[in-house]
Amino acid sequence: MTPKLKKSLLYWLLLSPLCVVILLPFGIMFVTALRPRDELFVYPPTWTFSEFRWENFVEMWVKTNFGGALLNSLYVSLTSTVIAIALSIPAAYALSRYRFSGKGLYRNFLLMTQMMSPIVLVLGLFRLMVHLNLVNSLNSLVVTYVAFNMAFTIWMLQSYFNTIPRELEEASWIDGATGFTSLVKIFLPLAIPAMVVTAIFTFINSWNEFVLALTLIRSQNDYTLPVQIFSQVAGRYQVEWHHVMAATVLATVPVAIVFSWLQRYLIRGMALGAVK
């Protein structure tokens, strides 16, 4: 056995407890989703079962309106992410490049808003949405998610913008570029890793949000995925756990795809911010 192989085995041995802790819930979720219904509550519990019952996913999709909830979650998460990033870029750029009175106070205010749980504001937000006639509308979730995520996105982007040398923009101004041209062609391309990383976290925050969606959405046709899955458990005499776990497995797929697709930006963005 080569020294390199020994070192790899040692590293994997040290990482194995962490891997078990992380993967065990997903393993239980996946096994339950594929079990036949009459083998869910066997004692003693086992990891094996008589067949892979892929029909559980089809039955769940039809019975729980999963497709509609999936589209609702995609609409809310993608729209709120795009709007939050678009609105945060000018704010973060101004905080990074300009000096003005109240700048420190504004940055502290943004930080303080992150310490406040949405559940504290849920009653006030509900009354506001009633006044705006937006209750039971997916756009009410888009507005609230943008508002809650903007403090986080501005902080993330501003921290990275500070690492981009101002001299690059000044050189483009000397060459005759306008402020807008240098922003679009010089500054923003350098900030793509930070924008992608921020967009990933904003998307996940919106995708997993539950309290506001449960409060502001009343029609089952407009449920997002967390509320739709919750409705399969709460207030029922009999819970179809194989359907609940099948829905949970499918709900993790979009987030896994986003992470897999954009992981190179995630790693590069976090690393560049640390060393510049």
Side-chain angles (χ1 to χ4, degrees):
M1 185 179 294
T2 63
K4 185 177 180 181
L5 182 57
K6 287 182 180 178
K7 187 180 292 184
S8 298
L9 290 176
L10 177 61
Y11 289 155
W12 277 111
L13 183 63
L14 294 174
L15 288 173
S16 58
L18 182 62
C19 293
V20 170
V21 171
I22 293 174
L23 295 179
L24 183 61
F26 291 96
I28 294 174
M29 184 172 66
F30 193 69
V31 169
T32 306
L34 290 175
R35 278 180 186 271
R37 184 175 182 278
D38 54 359
E39 297 181 13
L40 288 179
F41 298 102
V42 295
Y43 186 83
T46 62
W47 286 94
T48 60
F49 40 91
S50 61
E51 61 171 325
F52 289 95
R53 199 170 190 285
W54 299 100
E55 292 83 356
N56 288 344
F57 289 90
V58 180
E59 294 172 359
M60 176 278 300
W61 189 284
V62 175
K63 288 184 178 179
T64 63
N65 187 31
F66 188 88
L70 178 64
L71 291 177
N72 293 336
S73 281
L74 285 173
Y75 170 75
V76 170
S77 302
L78 288 174
T79 306
S80 59
T81 299
V82 171
I83 295 176
I85 295 296
L87 294 179
S88 298
I89 288 174
Y93 184 81
L95 285 174
S96 174
R97 289 294 190 260
Y98 300 113
R99 294 181 179 179
F100 53 89
S101 58
K103 177 179 174 180
L105 184 64
Y106 180 66
R107 294 177 75 248
N108 292 332
F109 169 74
L110 292 178
L111 185 60
M112 289 176 60
T113 60
Q114 293 301 288
M115 302 176 184
M116 190 177 298
S117 172
I119 200 169
V120 177
L121 303 174
V122 70
L123 181 59
L125 285 172
F126 180 76
R127 291 174 63 88
L128 176 63
M129 292 304 165
V130 170
H131 180 71
L132 298 176
N133 198 26
L134 285 176
V135 172
N136 206 30
S137 168
L138 292 176
N139 291 326
S140 65
L141 293 181
V142 172
V143 171
T144 51
Y145 290 172
V146 169
F148 275 103
N149 283 317
M150 274 194 65
F152 167 76
T153 54
I154 291 174
W155 259 93
M156 286 280 290
L157 291 175
Q158 188 249 330
S159 298
Y160 186 85
F161 288 176
N162 289 339
T163 67
I164 299 176
R166 185 189 295 268
E167 290 77 9
L168 294 175
E169 295 173 85
E170 293 174 348
S172 68
W173 297 340
I174 294 174
D175 291 337
T178 62
F180 181 76
T181 302
S182 65
L183 174 66
V184 173
K185 294 187 176 181
I186 304 296
F187 186 85
L188 291 182
L190 294 173
I192 285 177
M195 289 189 285
V196 173
V197 171
T198 307
I200 290 174
F201 285 108
T202 306
F203 177 86
I204 293 174
N205 287 339
S206 303
W207 184 265
N208 292 329
E209 202 286 325
F210 172 73
V211 174
L212 292 173
L214 180 66
T215 304
L216 298 178
I217 302 298
R218 299 305 177 92
S219 170
Q220 190 166 6
N221 292 330
D222 295 323
Y223 280 176
T224 56
L225 277 179
V227 181
Q228 184 66 37
I229 295 174
F230 172 75
S231 69
Q232 302 306 310
V233 179
R236 289 177 176 264
Y237 292 108
Q238 187 174 14
V239 178
E240 302 288 350
W241 284 108
H242 53 307
H243 289 165
V244 174
M245 291 296 108
T248 309
V249 169
L250 292 185
T252 61
V253 171
V255 177
I257 292 174
V258 169
F259 258 101
S260 301
W261 182 36
L262 300 174
Q263 63 174 333
R264 65 182 186 277
Y265 291 105
L266 180 66
I267 297 172
R268 188 170 62 177
M270 297 177 71
L272 285 178
V275 299
K276 279 191 174 181

